[in-house]
């Protein structure tokens, strides 16, 4: 694990431990009975004639710092849905991304598409609290997890009815993700050791992802041409964050991205 990723995971686990002190595991498990059954993100993201967009609610990042205030994440998510987003990703990490589970709950209450909890998940408590907050999908980063823990958390998420976006950065990580049972596999163009971007990384690894597994291209999307590039390289889904939160009209931007990939 890179030093940057290691720091992010450690911070997320510290914050989860603090939440657990206030709301023990058993209390969060009881909350599972109070949330609606999850939507099946696999159905929403399945390959089709058009590229699918996983649109992200993200205020900040370690590489860019603050990007957008986003006082009303639910309103932004509703704009994403209006523009054609198939799933909404919500950053819930608070230290570097300035997100929270409250953001996820607000978004889930507003939209009719699946909602992904994007965080540095490395403990079962984080998976259970994601579902209790209404998440339909969780992110698991292969580089952040030993294989046994990856398999454990993937299995727990599925037991709770959620889908998992498994994120890889190399051929070995793609293999590990598939071995863990990934049905939705993302390739992140951002190197978590130095934050550099390689837009061609997805294309170099796409053939290693078998038919029947949803292929997701993550990061390095600044405009419609980038979405079209990923689509031509075999992406079923493209995750877009910064280009949406820094723009003036996210719904129109999304629609243009989808149209560009179609043409």
């Amino acid at each position: 694990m890179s030093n940057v990723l290691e720091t992010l995971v450690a911070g997320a686990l510290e914050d989860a431990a603090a939440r657990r002190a206030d709301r023990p595991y058993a209390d969060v498990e009881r909350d599972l009975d109070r949330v609606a059954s999850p939507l099946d993100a696999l159905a929403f993201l399945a390959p089709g004639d058009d590229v699918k967009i996983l649109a992200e609610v993200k205020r900040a990042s370690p590489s860019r710092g603050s990007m957008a205030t986003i006082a009303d994440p639910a309103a932004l998510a509703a704009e994403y849905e209006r523009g054609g987003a198939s799933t909404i990703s919500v950053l819930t990490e608070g230290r570097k991304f300035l997100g929270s589970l409250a953001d996820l709950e607000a978004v889930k209450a507003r939209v009719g598409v699946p909602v992904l909890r994007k965080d540095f998940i490395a403990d079962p408590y984080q998976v259970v609290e994601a579902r209790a907050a209404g998440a339909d999908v969780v992110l698991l980063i292969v580089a952040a997890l030993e294989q046994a823990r990856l398999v454990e958390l993937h299995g727990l998420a599925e037991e709770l009815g959620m889908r998992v976006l498994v994120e890889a950065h190399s051929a070995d990580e793609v293999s590990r993700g598939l071995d863990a049972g990934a049905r939705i596999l993302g390739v992140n163009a951002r190197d978590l050791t130095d934050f550099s971007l390689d837009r061609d990384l997805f294309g170099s690894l796409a053939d290693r992802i078998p038919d029947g597994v949803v292929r997701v291209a993550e990061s390095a999307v600044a405009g419609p041409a980038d979405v079209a590039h990923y689509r031509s390289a075999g992406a079923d889904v493209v995750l877009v964050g910064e280009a949406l939160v820094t723009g003036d009209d996210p719904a129109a931007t999304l629609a243009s991205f989808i149209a560009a990939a179609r043409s």
Side-chain angles (χ1 to χ4, degrees):
M1 194 189 309
S2 72
N3 289 335
V4 173
L5 181 57
E6 194 172 77
T7 299
L8 291 167
V9 172
L13 287 174
E14 286 180 16
D15 293 342
R19 292 192 300 273
R20 187 169 185 166
D22 290 332
R23 294 180 67 216
Y25 197 103
D27 289 353
V28 177
E29 278 192 313
R30 280 194 288 273
D31 289 343
L32 296 176
D33 295 332
R34 302 171 187 164
V35 293
S37 297
L39 298 173
D40 185 1
L42 195 60
F44 283 79
L45 298 175
D49 293 336
D50 283 335
V51 69
K52 307 296 173 61
I53 301 294
L54 177 52
E56 196 153 80
V57 176
K58 176 168 68 173
R59 295 186 177 89
S61 74
S63 60
R64 282 292 309 274
S66 179
M67 290 184 287
T69 303
I70 311 183
D72 189 345
L76 177 60
E79 284 296 293
Y80 289 168
E81 185 176 24
R82 185 169 70 85
S86 296
T87 297
I88 309 296
S89 169
V90 181
L91 263 299
T92 62
E93 195 274 346
R95 299 187 182 206
K96 295 295 184 179
F97 293 88
L98 309 181
S100 69
L101 282 168
D103 288 343
L104 189 146
E105 291 171 340
V107 168
K108 180 61 181 176
R110 186 73 171 269
V111 301
V113 296
V115 176
L116 161 72
R117 181 189 186 182
K118 194 173 186 190
D119 209 320
F120 299 91
I121 293 174
D123 185 273
Y125 181 82
Q126 295 168 290
V127 176
V128 175
E129 68 174 357
R131 177 80 281 271
D136 306 288
V137 196
V138 292
L139 174 72
L140 295 179
I141 302 172
V142 176
L145 301 165
E146 296 293 336
Q147 189 67 13
R149 179 48 64 97
L150 175 62
V151 171
E152 175 193 6
L153 297 179
H154 193 284
L156 175 59
E158 291 197 325
E159 286 175 17
L160 295 173
M162 293 186 289
R163 295 294 185 176
V164 181
L165 170 58
V166 177
E167 179 177 295
H169 301 81
S170 68
D172 177 65
E173 291 178 11
V174 168
S175 295
R176 287 182 55 204
L178 293 171
D179 288 344
R183 300 287 305 282
I184 306 171
L185 202 151
V187 174
N188 193 342
R190 188 173 297 283
D191 186 327
L192 295 179
T193 63
D194 59 10
F195 291 117
S196 63
L197 290 170
D198 179 2
R199 195 182 67 158
D200 295 322
L201 181 63
F202 174 84
S204 72
L205 298 176
D207 286 346
R208 296 176 180 270
I209 305 172
D211 293 341
V213 176
V214 175
R215 301 177 178 96
V216 184
E218 304 177 41
S219 298
V221 176
D226 298 310
V227 178
H229 171 80
Y230 279 140
R231 180 62 165 172
S232 67
D236 304 308
V237 181
V238 178
L239 185 147
V240 186
E242 183 179 330
L244 296 177
V245 300
T246 59
D248 295 329
D249 190 338
T253 299
L254 266 173
S256 73
F257 284 2
I258 295 168
R262 183 184 304 130
S263 61

